[in-house]
Amino acid sequence: MAYQVSVIGSFRKRYKEVVRIVSLLREMGLSVASPNGSKVCNSVEEFVIFETDNPEFTPEEIQMITLEKILNSDAVYVCNPKGYVGKTTCYEIGFCYSRNKPLYFLEKPKDLPMPVDEEQIIPPEEFGKIVLNNEQKVYMEFNLCIPAKKAMRNIFFPNTNDNKTVAGKKKIVICGSMLFYDKMLECQEILRKKGVKAIIPKEENEAINLYDESAFREFKRKVSSAYLKKIREKDTIAVLIYNGTKKGQINYIGANTLVEIAMAFTWNRKIYLYNDIYEPLADELLAWECICLKGDIKKIILDMGQEDIELEEKYKQLSLFDDFNNL
């Protein structure tokens, strides 16, 4: 069996060492998925672009292609002379840990914000022998204090809890202008059928008729406070913004919804836009890494890994006012 490996590290600073290790591993009979050994033709900050990279691709697209090769490898070797890792390599290492990828290092890393087992620090020749003999292993049993172990599990394995899925406990908060309320209901129903719990705001039409202007403002204040609280709750992992066309404005996002998006960003929740970027807020929405679904809500289903969840016969529709009396 031909085993496939990848070599990562600071290509901008240490590419000669990387090429040497790649050549050594290939001579030993291993297939090296990344890098391919071609010459460096450009660099953007710490990211290196090779002659063989497609010039039509952005650095981000090239990085995603490279990351796919790394994660499809049987094992990964980090070339880090003098312990230097760098930002891009840290990013790749994080993905390797999250995917239980066997990971080894040339030297003990100095700038990696996670512990490394001494057995992971080996010369490339030994790494090659381990992979050829299929003896590579995943090093995740670090000697950490209990809070640190819990934190690492939550960071790298957020969907597991003592080997049991907690997917059913996750929820999404749906936001948007009340003009789109019916569409938000439709989104909730689609997510509900796939086992994704989704909270929607309470329609305000009835409240307008019940309160005078001053009381209605107080009502709105409480509603906004309650909804922002829902976004901050621990089991909320994302917000879905329904941004349709309002008064001729495509992908409309109003002031209240922008506040909710900002809250989601502050609390590190994923932000999905049902349609595309609202151009007047493009700078903020792009900076906050909002994910444009362009009408395809199935992207959320795939992201949450909910397709295999079996629903109970009676599924309780979640509403903002479920907890409103507790404010």
Side-chain angles (χ1 to χ4, degrees):
M1 177 178 180
Y3 289 101
Q4 180 171 278
V5 299
S6 286
V7 180
I8 62 177
S10 176
F11 293 171
R12 185 172 61 87
K13 292 186 176 182
R14 301 293 186 182
Y15 191 56
K16 287 184 178 180
E17 289 93 334
V18 170
V19 170
R20 182 186 67 80
I21 292 173
V22 168
S23 299
L24 172 66
L25 296 175
R26 284 177 174 159
E27 288 174 2
M28 295 180 71
L30 291 167
S31 172
V32 179
S34 178
N36 60 16
S38 65
K39 293 183 180 179
V40 174
C41 67
N42 195 9
S43 65
V44 179
E45 293 183 356
E46 290 197 2
F47 186 78
V48 166
I49 299 174
F50 296 102
E51 287 182 341
T52 51
D53 289 330
N54 191 326
E56 296 182 1
F57 291 165
T58 65
E60 292 80 10
E61 290 170 327
I62 294 172
Q63 176 63 65
M64 287 298 101
I65 294 170
T66 301
L67 187 60
E68 182 182 23
K69 293 178 181 178
I70 292 170
L71 296 180
N72 285 330
S73 298
D74 296 295
V76 178
Y77 190 75
V78 183
C79 175
N80 62 328
K82 298 183 179 180
Y84 177 78
V85 175
K87 291 188 295 184
T88 299
T89 307
C90 279
Y91 166 81
E92 294 167 339
I93 290 172
F95 270 97
C96 290
Y97 274 122
S98 70
R99 299 293 182 86
N100 281 340
K101 189 65 56 180
L103 190 66
Y104 296 84
F105 297 80
L106 175 65
E107 296 186 26
K108 189 173 183 63
K110 293 181 179 179
D111 54 346
L112 187 65
M114 60 184 68
V116 173
D117 195 291
E118 290 297 330
E119 294 182 9
Q120 291 176 266
I121 304 168
I122 58 176
E125 295 86 351
E126 186 176 340
F127 169 75
K129 292 177 182 178
I130 287 175
V131 178
L132 287 171
N133 294 329
N134 196 23
E135 295 174 345
Q136 64 269 25
K137 58 181 290 189
V138 178
Y139 292 88
M140 290 300 294
E141 294 299 324
F142 301 117
N143 186 22
L144 302 177
C145 62
I146 298 300
K149 286 184 178 179
K150 182 178 180 181
M152 180 166 285
R153 185 187 66 210
N154 290 340
I155 292 170
F156 293 121
F157 306 101
N159 299 333
T160 59
N161 183 12
D162 295 330
N163 297 324
K164 295 180 181 178
T165 180
V166 295
K169 295 182 180 180
K170 300 174 183 176
K171 72 171 184 281
I172 282 182
V173 174
I174 301 177
C175 309
S177 167
M178 285 297 103
L179 181 67
F180 308 135
Y181 187 74
D182 289 343
K183 292 295 184 181
M184 287 190 275
L185 278 174
E186 290 179 13
C187 290
Q188 184 189 46
E189 180 65 14
I190 293 171
L191 293 171
R192 181 192 71 80
K193 288 181 178 179
K194 287 296 184 178
V196 179
K197 297 178 182 179
I199 290 179
I200 59 173
K202 185 71 173 180
E203 193 172 21
E204 298 173 355
N205 292 338
E206 296 179 1
I208 292 175
N209 299 324
L210 291 174
Y211 302 110
D212 59 24
E213 183 177 354
S214 176
F216 181 71
R217 286 178 180 172
E218 177 64 15
F219 168 82
K220 284 275 292 183
R221 187 190 68 79
K222 287 187 176 182
V223 168
S224 296
S225 176
Y227 221 49
L228 293 174
K229 177 183 175 184
K230 288 294 180 185
I231 293 172
R232 298 194 303 268
E233 287 178 353
K234 187 175 181 180
D235 59 347
T236 297
I237 65 166
V239 295
L240 168 61
I241 310 302
Y242 190 92
N243 58 329
T245 300
K246 181 177 181 179
K247 296 181 180 179
Q249 299 183 70
I250 301 173
N251 307 318
Y252 175 80
I253 293 174
N256 286 343
T257 306
L258 180 61
V259 170
E260 291 161 346
I261 294 174
M263 177 64 73
F265 172 75
T266 302
W267 285 78
N268 199 30
R269 309 299 188 233
K270 273 191 173 183
I271 305 167
Y272 295 98
L273 303 183
Y274 184 84
N275 288 304
D276 214 330
I277 293 291
Y278 180 47
E279 284 302 322
L281 301 174
D283 290 344
E284 290 79 7
L285 298 176
L286 292 172
W288 295 344
E289 298 183 339
C290 296
I291 302 168
C292 298
L293 300 177
K294 298 184 178 180
D296 184 9
I297 203 170
K298 293 179 182 178
K299 168 68 175 172
I300 296 179
I301 308 295
L302 294 174
D303 281 358
M304 295 186 69
Q306 296 286 329
E307 292 184 315
D308 59 346
I309 292 177
E310 295 183 8
L311 292 175
E312 297 177 0
E313 291 184 5
K314 294 182 179 179
Y315 185 99
K316 182 177 181 295
Q317 177 173 316
L318 295 177
S319 172
L320 167 64
F321 286 174
D322 284 348
D323 296 329
F324 189 71
N325 292 331
N326 295 326
L327 291 178

